[in-house]
Amino acid sequence: MSRVTCCNVIFEHLSRAAALTSAAVCKEWHKVATSDVLWRKFAADLWATKVYVPQHFRNMVSEPNQARSAYFGALKDAKRTAITKDELCSFVWSFRFKRSAGKAWTSSDPYWSGHLARRVAFQSDHTIKWSRAHDSD
C-alpha cells in the first residue's frame, strides 16, 4: 500500500475539520486532505442521512476538483429557510390540520380520525392534486 493510499484510509476516519487542518502539515497530506476521493466519501456519508440534496451538488461531486465544493455547498444549502418551486413540485407532501385549527377543520381531516394524513402534490402549472393516503402505505 502506497503512503498516499495509506493516508487516504486514515483521513477517511478524521472529522472534516481535522482533515482540513491536516492539509497544512505537508504537501503530501494537503494532496490527500483536499482530494476528490476523500471529499466524495465525506459527501456520501453526509448525504446518506438526508431526505433531499439538490441534484446539482450530486452532479458536481463527480466533476474533477469539485467534490469539496459540492460538500460545502450542500451544507450551506441545507440551512435555507425557503424552497424552490421545483422542490415544492418534486415531492408528494403529507397534509393535516393542527389541533389549533379547531374542530370545524380537524373533524374532516382523516388524520384526526386515526388515519394517515392526506397527500398533496403541487403542480408546476399552479394546481394541486389531493389524494387520501391508504392506511396500508
Side-chain angles (χ1 to χ4, degrees):
M1 182 181 289
S2 73
R3 285 181 13 182
V4 172
T5 304
C6 184
C7 283
N8 278 342
V9 172
I10 293 168
F11 274 56
E12 286 178 2
H13 297 284
L14 296 177
S15 69
R16 283 54 167 169
L20 288 172
T21 302
S22 301
V25 172
C26 66
K27 288 180 183 180
E28 188 175 317
W29 282 26
H30 183 272
K31 182 179 177 180
V32 174
T34 59
S35 73
D36 281 341
V37 171
L38 181 65
W39 287 95
R40 283 184 187 122
K41 166 114 174 53
F42 286 164
D45 291 348
L46 174 70
W47 298 346
T49 61
K50 303 296 179 193
V51 172
Y52 178 77
V53 176
Q55 191 60 47
H56 66 276
F57 292 120
R58 291 188 182 275
N59 295 342
M60 188 178 174
V61 81
S62 300
E63 297 172 13
N65 303 313
Q66 293 298 309
R68 188 168 49 145
S69 294
Y71 175 88
F72 283 108
L75 273 183
K76 182 179 177 184
D77 183 79
K79 295 178 182 176
R80 286 185 294 138
T81 57
I83 62 174
T84 67
K85 180 181 176 181
D86 288 339
E87 292 166 342
L88 179 67
C89 296
S90 65
F91 293 98
V92 174
W93 302 85
S94 291
F95 176 85
R96 68 172 182 86
F97 285 105
K98 290 185 175 184
R99 179 174 279 125
S100 60
K103 192 75 170 163
W105 293 103
T106 58
S107 63
S108 64
D109 187 340
Y111 176 83
W112 293 102
S113 299
H115 301 283
L116 294 176
R118 288 186 184 110
R119 293 185 179 176
V120 60
F122 298 94
Q123 307 299 301
S124 59
D125 65 359
H126 305 280
T127 60
I128 299 172
K129 289 188 179 178
W130 289 93
S131 62
R132 183 169 175 172
H134 300 287
D135 290 328
S136 61
D137 288 351

